[in-house]
Each structure stands twice: as C-alpha cells, then as structure tokens.
Amino acid sequence: MFVKRVESDQHDRIYFNSETLRKYQMEVEKVTLQLGMLTHEVTICTNDELDAHTVGIPKRLFAELTLPEDLEFEWELKDKRFVLGPFIGMIRYYNFEKIKLRNLNFLLRWLNDYKNIKGLIYVIPICEIDIKNRFVNGYYYNPNKRKKEQWTYGTFPFPCAAFHRPFLRLGKKYKILTDIIGDTCFNKNEPGKWEFYSWMTENPLTKGFVPYTENLEQMKQIYLLLEKYPMLYLKRRYGGLGNGIYQVRKTDQGFEVIDNKQQKHSFINRVKMEEHLGNILKKHKYIVQQGVPFQFDGKNIDFRAYLQKDGTMEWKFRGCIARVASSGNITTNIRFTEKLIAGKEALMHLYGYQENTASEKIKKIEEACILCGRSIDQFGGHYGDIALDFIFDHNDNIYFLEANSGYGHKSLALLREPQLRQEIMNSPINYAKALAGFPSTSNKAYLSR
C-alpha cells in the first residue's frame, strides 16, 4: 500500500479508489487509523482520482509527519483498525551532531532485506524525542534514492517497534520512549556479566551451563575461591573488548596474576597482590569467576555463538565460530585472536572429531544456546539479538561466559562467511517488523474481520 497526501477540508477521513475498496471488500465505515504509535478516528471514503493500492491521507491530518509517497507499506484492517506499517525505530546516537553520512551508511548493513520489510525505518537520536507530542526527528531510509540521498531528515511518530544497540548517556527521554513503546523495544541494555550469570542460575535447565561466579566485593573472596578452583578470572561487570581481565592462580611461591596485556606478575604473599589489584578493583565493578579455559597447543580457545529472533519471533541459532588466542593471551577478543575458525570445522580440526560427531556436537551447542535464550527471556528482559561467548571442552561441557547485545561483526567479515553474516544482519529488522504487528506469515497485505 502506498500513501498519497491529498487536499481535503476534512481531516478525519482516509480515501481509496473504488477498485481497491472492491478488491479488499472494504466498506465505508469509521475506523481507527494507526501510524506508528499515533492513532486517529477516521471514516473510509471513496476517491477515484487515487491509484489502486493507495491510501489517501489528508494533508491536515498529522501534518507534521513525514510520510514518503514512494515507499510501500504493509497494511491491515482488523477490528475496525486500519494499520499502516511497519514503523521501526533504530535508536542510535545522542544528537544530530553525532550523525554523519558515514554513520548512517554504516547502518545499511542491517537494511539489505528492506524489500521484504517495507514501511518506514528511521534513526532516532535520543535528544530528538518529543515526549509531549509523541514525535521524533531523525533520518529515514529510502532505497529508491541515490546512495548519497538514501537518508532523509523527517519527523515521525513513535515507532511500533525499536531496535537498540546499547550506548551511554541514554537519559530520561530514552526511558520514557521505551516505556511508551513497551515490550516491542528490544536490546535496550547491554547484559552485565553478573546479571547474565544470575539469569542462567535462576533456571535449573541452564544453571549447569555457567562457571561459578561471584560479585567481587572483597579480596578474601579470591583467596577462598582459590581453595576450590585452580584458576580464577577477574572481569569487569560491564564492558568488553577484553579490557580489565585478570587471570589469578595460586603457585608454590605465592600468587600469579596475568592481565590482558600478557603482563605476568608474581607475588609472594597476599599483601603484595592486594597492593597490585586493590586500586584496579576500586575503579570498576568486578566479578570473580571460576576458570574453565580450554587450550589447543597451549593457546586459549573459546567460541562465539549468534542467537537471534526473526520474523517468526522465536530464538534461532545462526551458528558459531571458534577463536584461537595468540600465544600467551588470556582473552580471545578479536584484538588478541590469532585465528578464527567456523564452529564445526574447529571441532573437527582442533578437537579431532569426525564430521558426523562434530555435527552432533554443534546440535548440542545449538540446544544449549536456545535454552540460554529462553532463560534470558524469562529472567533478563527483552532481547532479540545476542552473541554468546562459551567454552566447549573435551568432556562435552558447555560453559557460557557472557552475553553481548552490542557485539561487533568484524569476526564474521574476517571469517568470510557472507551468507551467515547477512543472515545475522537481516534478522533484527525482521524481528522488529514482527513486533510491529507484521510477522513473517503476513508479508502481504491482508484483510481480516
């Protein structure tokens, strides 16, 4: 369905030509018009000057809104409510000063499937949220334009669904916006490592998939846990990129601490170690976690799995990749990674499994990831796009270390798996479309009463 702004003395009407009314068995009746989160009572009327498959909306109605006439919308008429959509918000950046064309074009990777999405997809800077009128100012995507003109400034209603990549300085406006949108805004926050552990241990089905973890408040926790586990990891509760990670172990001479820069420090007693770690732990909130490293040729290995919801609104396991750390590194963040290997290939070449066995292990990993996603749904909040970092050892134990909702895609590009990467990029907007009321089963306009 296309939109045409029409001249009309009446602002409480919408128009279709006779052919469209007959085709979709529409009646001249009062309905509620819904555009994003905005609604208005209108009467369906006839206007044969309009093209087929077009709705005429008076210019006086929602005059502030930007409604492009060259974009196609999905639509639904149900229970006397005429809904055009989807209206999808991408919550990015704090203000317009932060938005350059290159920033907007960076977002195009999520929009390659637009022809199957349709509607209005727009970038919402936090400062441009008008709480009183429920409008936002931002930039909408129009694939019909030349590449340098595909992002156009406009004013839009609060979206029916929003996709967020977490960043700082969200503030009051963001909270009010997401409260109004409700549970159709997903990935609102980055899961902290302690929060993720808590969510997993709340569910008996996933409790065994996480290494023992405590919120680090006192140094004595480290000493007590070193009596139970040969190795511990100290990690910032929030943050990523391998920053601020320490590996701690007890030695015959005292204690050994290795940081993420491969610097090794030995201490003969607790006092010396506390002097070293004390100031560090005061600057950030930390967790202390049971060490469950797995190595190949003396190099640490972990996996990253991609778990997403799409138009079906169910969790889907997209695949996983193995990350082999460079020699001496305690973290497998991309900065310290020597090699990236597709998951199944890694199980065959690094773990020595035959192909059939490797496929069975991947199936087991998939099932564990889906259970993990369901625990996040039940105890953590609304997420639809996460990366799960985990260890897989020779005893088939799976240990999830953390979940990331603001993860990067560099590993996928380096791995040269274009199909996997594109599937991962397409899913969030497909999920947002379903949340906005147009699930994958309704990719065509339909009428229901």
mmCIF file of all heavy atoms in Angstrom, residues 198-241:
data_model
loop_
_atom_site.group_PDB
_atom_site.id
_atom_site.type_symbol
_atom_site.label_atom_id
_atom_site.label_comp_id
_atom_site.label_asym_id
_atom_site.label_seq_id
_atom_site.Cartn_x
_atom_site.Cartn_y
_atom_site.Cartn_z
ATOM 1 N N SER A 198 23.312 -14.491 36.853
ATOM 2 C CA SER A 198 22.110 -14.616 37.694
ATOM 3 C C SER A 198 20.935 -15.169 36.900
ATOM 4 O O SER A 198 20.182 -16.012 37.393
ATOM 5 C CB SER A 198 21.748 -13.249 38.286
ATOM 6 O OG SER A 198 22.806 -12.742 39.072
ATOM 7 N N TRP A 199 20.759 -14.695 35.662
ATOM 8 C CA TRP A 199 19.657 -15.185 34.835
ATOM 9 C C TRP A 199 19.803 -16.681 34.559
ATOM 10 O O TRP A 199 18.827 -17.422 34.597
ATOM 11 C CB TRP A 199 19.614 -14.435 33.504
ATOM 12 C CG TRP A 199 19.462 -12.949 33.634
ATOM 13 C CD1 TRP A 199 18.994 -12.256 34.716
ATOM 14 C CD2 TRP A 199 19.790 -11.964 32.649
ATOM 15 N NE1 TRP A 199 19.018 -10.903 34.474
ATOM 16 C CE2 TRP A 199 19.498 -10.690 33.209
ATOM 17 C CE3 TRP A 199 20.298 -12.018 31.364
ATOM 18 C CZ2 TRP A 199 19.699 -9.504 32.521
ATOM 19 C CZ3 TRP A 199 20.512 -10.839 30.659
ATOM 20 C CH2 TRP A 199 20.212 -9.599 31.237
ATOM 21 N N MET A 200 21.021 -17.106 34.268
ATOM 22 C CA MET A 200 21.248 -18.517 33.946
ATOM 23 C C MET A 200 21.010 -19.412 35.154
ATOM 24 O O MET A 200 20.452 -20.507 35.026
ATOM 25 C CB MET A 200 22.674 -18.725 33.432
ATOM 26 C CG MET A 200 22.988 -18.060 32.102
ATOM 27 S SD MET A 200 21.907 -18.566 30.747
ATOM 28 C CE MET A 200 20.805 -17.142 30.691
ATOM 29 N N THR A 201 21.418 -18.967 36.335
ATOM 30 C CA THR A 201 21.283 -19.814 37.523
ATOM 31 C C THR A 201 19.858 -19.814 38.078
ATOM 32 O O THR A 201 19.532 -20.658 38.912
ATOM 33 C CB THR A 201 22.273 -19.371 38.611
ATOM 34 O OG1 THR A 201 22.120 -17.964 38.874
ATOM 35 C CG2 THR A 201 23.699 -19.647 38.172
ATOM 36 N N GLU A 202 19.021 -18.894 37.621
ATOM 37 C CA GLU A 202 17.611 -18.914 38.028
ATOM 38 C C GLU A 202 16.866 -20.098 37.420
ATOM 39 O O GLU A 202 15.851 -20.546 37.949
ATOM 40 C CB GLU A 202 16.926 -17.606 37.593
ATOM 41 C CG GLU A 202 17.267 -16.392 38.425
ATOM 42 C CD GLU A 202 16.463 -16.323 39.706
ATOM 43 O OE1 GLU A 202 15.528 -17.129 39.866
ATOM 44 O OE2 GLU A 202 16.789 -15.485 40.555
ATOM 45 N N ASN A 203 17.358 -20.579 36.289
ATOM 46 C CA ASN A 203 16.678 -21.655 35.562
ATOM 47 C C ASN A 203 17.439 -22.962 35.767
ATOM 48 O O ASN A 203 18.614 -23.062 35.394
ATOM 49 C CB ASN A 203 16.632 -21.304 34.068
ATOM 50 C CG ASN A 203 15.830 -22.307 33.254
ATOM 51 O OD1 ASN A 203 15.501 -23.399 33.716
ATOM 52 N ND2 ASN A 203 15.513 -21.952 32.020
ATOM 53 N N PRO A 204 16.819 -23.986 36.331
ATOM 54 C CA PRO A 204 17.509 -25.273 36.537
ATOM 55 C C PRO A 204 18.068 -25.863 35.246
ATOM 56 O O PRO A 204 19.056 -26.603 35.281
ATOM 57 C CB PRO A 204 16.403 -26.171 37.116
ATOM 58 C CG PRO A 204 15.405 -25.232 37.709
ATOM 59 C CD PRO A 204 15.437 -24.013 36.842
ATOM 60 N N LEU A 205 17.442 -25.524 34.103
ATOM 61 C CA LEU A 205 17.888 -26.090 32.826
ATOM 62 C C LEU A 205 19.185 -25.461 32.327
ATOM 63 O O LEU A 205 19.883 -26.033 31.487
ATOM 64 C CB LEU A 205 16.800 -25.921 31.758
ATOM 65 C CG LEU A 205 15.486 -26.672 32.005
ATOM 66 C CD1 LEU A 205 14.467 -26.352 30.918
ATOM 67 C CD2 LEU A 205 15.736 -28.183 32.072
ATOM 68 N N THR A 206 19.527 -24.260 32.814
ATOM 69 C CA THR A 206 20.749 -23.590 32.358
ATOM 70 C C THR A 206 21.754 -23.355 33.483
ATOM 71 O O THR A 206 22.860 -22.875 33.225
ATOM 72 C CB THR A 206 20.420 -22.236 31.686
ATOM 73 O OG1 THR A 206 19.604 -21.444 32.587
ATOM 74 C CG2 THR A 206 19.664 -22.441 30.386
ATOM 75 N N LYS A 207 21.387 -23.710 34.691
ATOM 76 C CA LYS A 207 22.266 -23.475 35.843
ATOM 77 C C LYS A 207 23.629 -24.136 35.669
ATOM 78 O O LYS A 207 24.659 -23.592 36.072
ATOM 79 C CB LYS A 207 21.591 -23.975 37.111
ATOM 80 C CG LYS A 207 22.332 -23.630 38.391
ATOM 81 C CD LYS A 207 21.536 -24.055 39.612
ATOM 82 C CE LYS A 207 22.259 -23.655 40.888
ATOM 83 N NZ LYS A 207 21.477 -24.041 42.097
ATOM 84 N N GLY A 208 23.639 -25.311 35.050
ATOM 85 C CA GLY A 208 24.900 -26.027 34.874
ATOM 86 C C GLY A 208 25.736 -25.563 33.712
ATOM 87 O O GLY A 208 26.835 -26.090 33.481
ATOM 88 N N PHE A 209 25.252 -24.559 32.968
ATOM 89 C CA PHE A 209 25.969 -24.083 31.788
ATOM 90 C C PHE A 209 26.866 -22.876 32.067
ATOM 91 O O PHE A 209 27.432 -22.303 31.132
ATOM 92 C CB PHE A 209 24.981 -23.691 30.679
ATOM 93 C CG PHE A 209 24.327 -24.858 29.992
ATOM 94 C CD1 PHE A 209 22.978 -24.822 29.676
ATOM 95 C CD2 PHE A 209 25.049 -25.991 29.650
ATOM 96 C CE1 PHE A 209 22.363 -25.882 29.033
ATOM 97 C CE2 PHE A 209 24.449 -27.060 29.005
ATOM 98 C CZ PHE A 209 23.114 -27.011 28.703
ATOM 99 N N VAL A 210 26.987 -22.458 33.316
ATOM 100 C CA VAL A 210 27.812 -21.286 33.625
ATOM 101 C C VAL A 210 28.821 -21.646 34.717
ATOM 102 O O VAL A 210 28.506 -22.364 35.663
ATOM 103 C CB VAL A 210 26.945 -20.084 34.082
ATOM 104 C CG1 VAL A 210 26.241 -19.455 32.903
ATOM 105 C CG2 VAL A 210 25.938 -20.493 35.148
ATOM 106 N N PRO A 211 30.060 -21.173 34.593
ATOM 107 C CA PRO A 211 31.049 -21.403 35.652
ATOM 108 C C PRO A 211 30.675 -20.609 36.897
ATOM 109 O O PRO A 211 30.053 -19.544 36.805
ATOM 110 C CB PRO A 211 32.353 -20.892 35.037
ATOM 111 C CG PRO A 211 31.936 -19.920 33.992
ATOM 112 C CD PRO A 211 30.608 -20.397 33.472
ATOM 113 N N TYR A 212 31.060 -21.129 38.057
ATOM 114 C CA TYR A 212 30.699 -20.465 39.305
ATOM 115 C C TYR A 212 31.249 -19.036 39.319
ATOM 116 O O TYR A 212 32.405 -18.784 38.970
ATOM 117 C CB TYR A 212 31.240 -21.235 40.506
ATOM 118 C CG TYR A 212 30.829 -20.601 41.805
ATOM 119 C CD1 TYR A 212 29.529 -20.750 42.286
ATOM 120 C CD2 TYR A 212 31.716 -19.799 42.517
ATOM 121 C CE1 TYR A 212 29.132 -20.135 43.468
ATOM 122 C CE2 TYR A 212 31.340 -19.181 43.691
ATOM 123 C CZ TYR A 212 30.039 -19.345 44.161
ATOM 124 O OH TYR A 212 29.639 -18.728 45.313
ATOM 125 N N THR A 213 30.397 -18.097 39.716
ATOM 126 C CA THR A 213 30.728 -16.672 39.653
ATOM 127 C C THR A 213 30.222 -15.965 40.907
ATOM 128 O O THR A 213 29.163 -16.312 41.441
ATOM 129 C CB THR A 213 30.087 -16.024 38.404
ATOM 130 O OG1 THR A 213 30.535 -16.715 37.238
ATOM 131 C CG2 THR A 213 30.457 -14.551 38.293
ATOM 132 N N GLU A 214 30.965 -14.992 41.375
ATOM 133 C CA GLU A 214 30.525 -14.141 42.477
ATOM 134 C C GLU A 214 30.742 -12.680 42.114
ATOM 135 O O GLU A 214 31.662 -12.342 41.360
ATOM 136 C CB GLU A 214 31.305 -14.455 43.768
ATOM 137 C CG GLU A 214 30.987 -15.810 44.374
ATOM 138 C CD GLU A 214 31.726 -16.043 45.687
ATOM 139 O OE1 GLU A 214 32.436 -15.110 46.157
ATOM 140 O OE2 GLU A 214 31.600 -17.151 46.243
ATOM 141 N N ASN A 215 29.900 -11.834 42.667
ATOM 142 C CA ASN A 215 30.119 -10.393 42.590
ATOM 143 C C ASN A 215 31.299 -10.077 43.498
ATOM 144 O O ASN A 215 31.260 -10.383 44.693
ATOM 145 C CB ASN A 215 28.865 -9.665 43.073
ATOM 146 C CG ASN A 215 28.475 -8.530 42.167
ATOM 147 O OD1 ASN A 215 29.201 -8.164 41.259
ATOM 148 N ND2 ASN A 215 27.320 -7.952 42.415
ATOM 149 N N LEU A 216 32.357 -9.514 42.961
ATOM 150 C CA LEU A 216 33.570 -9.316 43.752
ATOM 151 C C LEU A 216 33.461 -8.050 44.592
ATOM 152 O O LEU A 216 33.387 -6.940 44.068
ATOM 153 C CB LEU A 216 34.784 -9.232 42.821
ATOM 154 C CG LEU A 216 36.155 -9.099 43.498
ATOM 155 C CD1 LEU A 216 36.392 -10.235 44.484
ATOM 156 C CD2 LEU A 216 37.266 -9.063 42.454
ATOM 157 N N GLU A 217 33.460 -8.235 45.909
ATOM 158 C CA GLU A 217 33.354 -7.107 46.832
ATOM 159 C C GLU A 217 34.544 -7.020 47.770
ATOM 160 O O GLU A 217 34.902 -5.929 48.234
ATOM 161 C CB GLU A 217 32.052 -7.220 47.638
ATOM 162 C CG GLU A 217 30.802 -7.135 46.754
ATOM 163 C CD GLU A 217 29.520 -7.336 47.538
ATOM 164 O OE1 GLU A 217 29.609 -7.769 48.714
ATOM 165 O OE2 GLU A 217 28.437 -7.069 46.993
ATOM 166 N N GLN A 218 35.146 -8.172 48.080
ATOM 167 C CA GLN A 218 36.283 -8.191 48.994
ATOM 168 C C GLN A 218 37.360 -9.124 48.452
ATOM 169 O O GLN A 218 37.063 -10.142 47.835
ATOM 170 C CB GLN A 218 35.857 -8.671 50.382
ATOM 171 C CG GLN A 218 34.754 -7.845 51.028
ATOM 172 C CD GLN A 218 34.348 -8.427 52.364
ATOM 173 O OE1 GLN A 218 35.179 -8.582 53.271
ATOM 174 N NE2 GLN A 218 33.077 -8.772 52.503
ATOM 175 N N MET A 219 38.615 -8.812 48.748
ATOM 176 C CA MET A 219 39.718 -9.627 48.277
ATOM 177 C C MET A 219 39.675 -11.039 48.852
ATOM 178 O O MET A 219 40.143 -11.991 48.220
ATOM 179 C CB MET A 219 41.047 -8.964 48.642
ATOM 180 C CG MET A 219 41.388 -7.723 47.824
ATOM 181 S SD MET A 219 41.712 -8.087 46.088
ATOM 182 C CE MET A 219 43.216 -9.047 46.210
ATOM 183 N N LYS A 220 39.097 -11.191 50.027
ATOM 184 C CA LYS A 220 39.091 -12.524 50.644
ATOM 185 C C LYS A 220 38.290 -13.528 49.813
ATOM 186 O O LYS A 220 38.511 -14.742 49.925
ATOM 187 C CB LYS A 220 38.552 -12.452 52.066
ATOM 188 C CG LYS A 220 37.068 -12.148 52.203
ATOM 189 C CD LYS A 220 36.660 -12.162 53.670
ATOM 190 C CE LYS A 220 35.166 -11.907 53.848
ATOM 191 N NZ LYS A 220 34.775 -11.911 55.280
ATOM 192 N N GLN A 221 37.370 -13.036 48.970
ATOM 193 C CA GLN A 221 36.640 -13.949 48.086
ATOM 194 C C GLN A 221 37.597 -14.667 47.147
ATOM 195 O O GLN A 221 37.419 -15.847 46.846
ATOM 196 C CB GLN A 221 35.596 -13.174 47.263
ATOM 197 C CG GLN A 221 34.446 -12.595 48.059
ATOM 198 C CD GLN A 221 33.576 -11.678 47.211
ATOM 199 O OE1 GLN A 221 33.703 -10.456 47.283
ATOM 200 N NE2 GLN A 221 32.731 -12.261 46.383
ATOM 201 N N ILE A 222 38.615 -13.948 46.684
ATOM 202 C CA ILE A 222 39.591 -14.544 45.768
ATOM 203 C C ILE A 222 40.328 -15.678 46.455
ATOM 204 O O ILE A 222 40.486 -16.781 45.890
ATOM 205 C CB ILE A 222 40.578 -13.471 45.271
ATOM 206 C CG1 ILE A 222 39.828 -12.414 44.447
ATOM 207 C CG2 ILE A 222 41.703 -14.110 44.442
ATOM 208 C CD1 ILE A 222 40.703 -11.240 44.028
ATOM 209 N N TYR A 223 40.753 -15.463 47.693
ATOM 210 C CA TYR A 223 41.521 -16.494 48.402
ATOM 211 C C TYR A 223 40.660 -17.714 48.694
ATOM 212 O O TYR A 223 41.126 -18.860 48.563
ATOM 213 C CB TYR A 223 42.083 -15.925 49.707
ATOM 214 C CG TYR A 223 42.863 -14.639 49.506
ATOM 215 C CD1 TYR A 223 42.593 -13.508 50.265
ATOM 216 C CD2 TYR A 223 43.862 -14.561 48.537
ATOM 217 C CE1 TYR A 223 43.294 -12.329 50.071
ATOM 218 C CE2 TYR A 223 44.577 -13.388 48.339
ATOM 219 C CZ TYR A 223 44.281 -12.276 49.100
ATOM 220 O OH TYR A 223 44.974 -11.119 48.898
ATOM 221 N N LEU A 224 39.413 -17.495 49.074
ATOM 222 C CA LEU A 224 38.526 -18.622 49.372
ATOM 223 C C LEU A 224 38.254 -19.449 48.121
ATOM 224 O O LEU A 224 38.254 -20.679 48.155
ATOM 225 C CB LEU A 224 37.209 -18.110 49.959
ATOM 226 C CG LEU A 224 37.279 -17.536 51.380
ATOM 227 C CD1 LEU A 224 35.938 -16.893 51.765
ATOM 228 C CD2 LEU A 224 37.641 -18.626 52.383
ATOM 229 N N LEU A 225 38.041 -18.762 46.985
ATOM 230 C CA LEU A 225 37.747 -19.487 45.750
ATOM 231 C C LEU A 225 38.979 -20.189 45.188
ATOM 232 O O LEU A 225 38.858 -21.224 44.520
ATOM 233 C CB LEU A 225 37.158 -18.533 44.708
ATOM 234 C CG LEU A 225 35.732 -18.042 45.019
ATOM 235 C CD1 LEU A 225 35.284 -16.998 44.000
ATOM 236 C CD2 LEU A 225 34.757 -19.206 45.035
ATOM 237 N N LEU A 226 40.174 -19.667 45.477
ATOM 238 C CA LEU A 226 41.397 -20.341 45.031
ATOM 239 C C LEU A 226 41.624 -21.652 45.777
ATOM 240 O O LEU A 226 42.422 -22.489 45.334
ATOM 241 C CB LEU A 226 42.608 -19.425 45.199
ATOM 242 C CG LEU A 226 42.774 -18.334 44.134
ATOM 243 C CD1 LEU A 226 43.908 -17.380 44.497
ATOM 244 C CD2 LEU A 226 43.016 -18.945 42.753
ATOM 245 N N GLU A 227 40.929 -21.832 46.896
ATOM 246 C CA GLU A 227 40.983 -23.113 47.591
ATOM 247 C C GLU A 227 40.128 -24.157 46.882
ATOM 248 O O GLU A 227 40.356 -25.361 47.035
ATOM 249 C CB GLU A 227 40.496 -22.944 49.043
ATOM 250 C CG GLU A 227 41.332 -22.015 49.904
ATOM 251 C CD GLU A 227 42.775 -22.500 50.043
ATOM 252 O OE1 GLU A 227 42.975 -23.724 50.180
ATOM 253 O OE2 GLU A 227 43.689 -21.652 49.985
ATOM 254 N N LYS A 228 39.167 -23.696 46.088
ATOM 255 C CA LYS A 228 38.259 -24.605 45.368
ATOM 256 C C LYS A 228 38.639 -24.792 43.913
ATOM 257 O O LYS A 228 38.445 -25.870 43.337
ATOM 258 C CB LYS A 228 36.821 -24.076 45.454
ATOM 259 C CG LYS A 228 36.237 -24.004 46.842
ATOM 260 C CD LYS A 228 34.842 -23.404 46.828
ATOM 261 C CE LYS A 228 33.862 -24.251 46.048
ATOM 262 N NZ LYS A 228 32.484 -23.694 46.124
ATOM 263 N N TYR A 229 39.145 -23.718 43.288
ATOM 264 C CA TYR A 229 39.432 -23.750 41.851
ATOM 265 C C TYR A 229 40.894 -23.372 41.607
ATOM 266 O O TYR A 229 41.410 -22.435 42.238
ATOM 267 C CB TYR A 229 38.521 -22.769 41.112
ATOM 268 C CG TYR A 229 37.042 -22.980 41.402
ATOM 269 C CD1 TYR A 229 36.316 -22.024 42.115
ATOM 270 C CD2 TYR A 229 36.391 -24.132 40.987
ATOM 271 C CE1 TYR A 229 34.978 -22.208 42.394
ATOM 272 C CE2 TYR A 229 35.040 -24.332 41.255
ATOM 273 C CZ TYR A 229 34.341 -23.362 41.965
ATOM 274 O OH TYR A 229 33.013 -23.561 42.230
ATOM 275 N N PRO A 230 41.571 -24.074 40.710
ATOM 276 C CA PRO A 230 42.992 -23.780 40.462
ATOM 277 C C PRO A 230 43.240 -22.443 39.768
ATOM 278 O O PRO A 230 44.335 -21.897 39.834
ATOM 279 C CB PRO A 230 43.441 -24.944 39.575
ATOM 280 C CG PRO A 230 42.197 -25.441 38.916
ATOM 281 C CD PRO A 230 41.102 -25.236 39.926
ATOM 282 N N MET A 231 42.206 -21.932 39.113
ATOM 283 C CA MET A 231 42.366 -20.682 38.362
ATOM 284 C C MET A 231 41.092 -19.867 38.456
ATOM 285 O O MET A 231 39.983 -20.409 38.445
ATOM 286 C CB MET A 231 42.676 -20.987 36.896
ATOM 287 C CG MET A 231 42.854 -19.768 36.015
ATOM 288 S SD MET A 231 42.959 -20.234 34.269
ATOM 289 C CE MET A 231 44.423 -21.264 34.289
ATOM 290 N N LEU A 232 41.251 -18.531 38.529
ATOM 291 C CA LEU A 232 40.112 -17.617 38.555
ATOM 292 C C LEU A 232 40.317 -16.536 37.504
ATOM 293 O O LEU A 232 41.448 -16.225 37.123
ATOM 294 C CB LEU A 232 39.972 -16.954 39.928
ATOM 295 C CG LEU A 232 39.760 -17.856 41.141
ATOM 296 C CD1 LEU A 232 39.802 -17.015 42.416
ATOM 297 C CD2 LEU A 232 38.451 -18.626 41.045
ATOM 298 N N TYR A 233 39.203 -15.956 37.089
ATOM 299 C CA TYR A 233 39.258 -14.782 36.216
ATOM 300 C C TYR A 233 38.535 -13.631 36.912
ATOM 301 O O TYR A 233 37.428 -13.805 37.446
ATOM 302 C CB TYR A 233 38.596 -15.061 34.865
ATOM 303 C CG TYR A 233 39.474 -15.845 33.923
ATOM 304 C CD1 TYR A 233 39.474 -17.229 33.926
ATOM 305 C CD2 TYR A 233 40.327 -15.185 33.040
ATOM 306 C CE1 TYR A 233 40.298 -17.958 33.078
ATOM 307 C CE2 TYR A 233 41.154 -15.899 32.175
ATOM 308 C CZ TYR A 233 41.128 -17.277 32.204
ATOM 309 O OH TYR A 233 41.953 -17.982 31.359
ATOM 310 N N LEU A 234 39.158 -12.482 36.916
ATOM 311 C CA LEU A 234 38.525 -11.256 37.400
ATOM 312 C C LEU A 234 38.122 -10.466 36.163
ATOM 313 O O LEU A 234 38.971 -10.164 35.312
ATOM 314 C CB LEU A 234 39.479 -10.440 38.268
ATOM 315 C CG LEU A 234 40.223 -11.189 39.383
ATOM 316 C CD1 LEU A 234 41.076 -10.216 40.186
ATOM 317 C CD2 LEU A 234 39.264 -11.950 40.285
ATOM 318 N N LYS A 235 36.840 -10.124 36.064
ATOM 319 C CA LYS A 235 36.334 -9.433 34.881
ATOM 320 C C LYS A 235 35.476 -8.253 35.288
ATOM 321 O O LYS A 235 34.738 -8.320 36.284
ATOM 322 C CB LYS A 235 35.480 -10.381 34.023
ATOM 323 C CG LYS A 235 36.199 -11.626 33.553
ATOM 324 C CD LYS A 235 35.250 -12.543 32.769
ATOM 325 C CE LYS A 235 35.938 -13.801 32.295
ATOM 326 N NZ LYS A 235 35.007 -14.691 31.543
ATOM 327 N N ARG A 236 35.563 -7.191 34.512
ATOM 328 C CA ARG A 236 34.667 -6.063 34.763
ATOM 329 C C ARG A 236 33.231 -6.504 34.546
ATOM 330 O O ARG A 236 32.915 -7.204 33.581
ATOM 331 C CB ARG A 236 34.987 -4.903 33.815
ATOM 332 C CG ARG A 236 36.317 -4.240 34.103
ATOM 333 C CD ARG A 236 36.583 -3.107 33.128
ATOM 334 N NE ARG A 236 37.926 -2.549 33.316
ATOM 335 C CZ ARG A 236 38.455 -1.624 32.540
ATOM 336 N NH1 ARG A 236 37.754 -1.130 31.522
ATOM 337 N NH2 ARG A 236 39.681 -1.184 32.768
ATOM 338 N N ARG A 237 32.395 -6.074 35.457
ATOM 339 C CA ARG A 237 30.982 -6.465 35.373
ATOM 340 C C ARG A 237 30.341 -5.936 34.095
ATOM 341 O O ARG A 237 29.501 -6.605 33.485
ATOM 342 C CB ARG A 237 30.254 -5.926 36.604
ATOM 343 C CG ARG A 237 28.807 -6.336 36.715
ATOM 344 C CD ARG A 237 28.283 -5.993 38.091
ATOM 345 N NE ARG A 237 26.830 -5.996 38.132
ATOM 346 C CZ ARG A 237 26.111 -5.743 39.216
ATOM 347 N NH1 ARG A 237 26.728 -5.485 40.353
ATOM 348 N NH2 ARG A 237 24.800 -5.761 39.173
ATOM 349 N N TYR A 238 30.743 -4.754 33.677
ATOM 350 C CA TYR A 238 30.254 -4.159 32.424
ATOM 351 C C TYR A 238 31.457 -3.823 31.544
ATOM 352 O O TYR A 238 32.502 -3.426 32.032
ATOM 353 C CB TYR A 238 29.445 -2.889 32.694
ATOM 354 C CG TYR A 238 28.289 -3.094 33.627
ATOM 355 C CD1 TYR A 238 28.374 -2.728 34.962
ATOM 356 C CD2 TYR A 238 27.101 -3.683 33.179
ATOM 357 C CE1 TYR A 238 27.310 -2.927 35.829
ATOM 358 C CE2 TYR A 238 26.039 -3.891 34.034
ATOM 359 C CZ TYR A 238 26.148 -3.513 35.361
ATOM 360 O OH TYR A 238 25.106 -3.727 36.214
ATOM 361 N N GLY A 239 31.278 -3.976 30.266
ATOM 362 C CA GLY A 239 32.349 -3.645 29.336
ATOM 363 C C GLY A 239 32.821 -4.882 28.597
ATOM 364 O O GLY A 239 32.496 -6.012 28.952
ATOM 365 N N GLY A 240 33.576 -4.631 27.527
ATOM 366 C CA GLY A 240 34.043 -5.727 26.702
ATOM 367 C C GLY A 240 35.412 -5.456 26.131
ATOM 368 O O GLY A 240 36.232 -4.769 26.744
ATOM 369 N N LEU A 241 35.673 -6.037 24.964
ATOM 370 C CA LEU A 241 36.935 -5.889 24.235
ATOM 371 C C LEU A 241 38.111 -6.485 24.988
ATOM 372 O O LEU A 241 39.269 -6.199 24.674
ATOM 373 C CB LEU A 241 37.218 -4.411 23.917
ATOM 374 C CG LEU A 241 36.138 -3.661 23.136
ATOM 375 C CD1 LEU A 241 36.536 -2.202 22.960
ATOM 376 C CD2 LEU A 241 35.914 -4.320 21.788
#
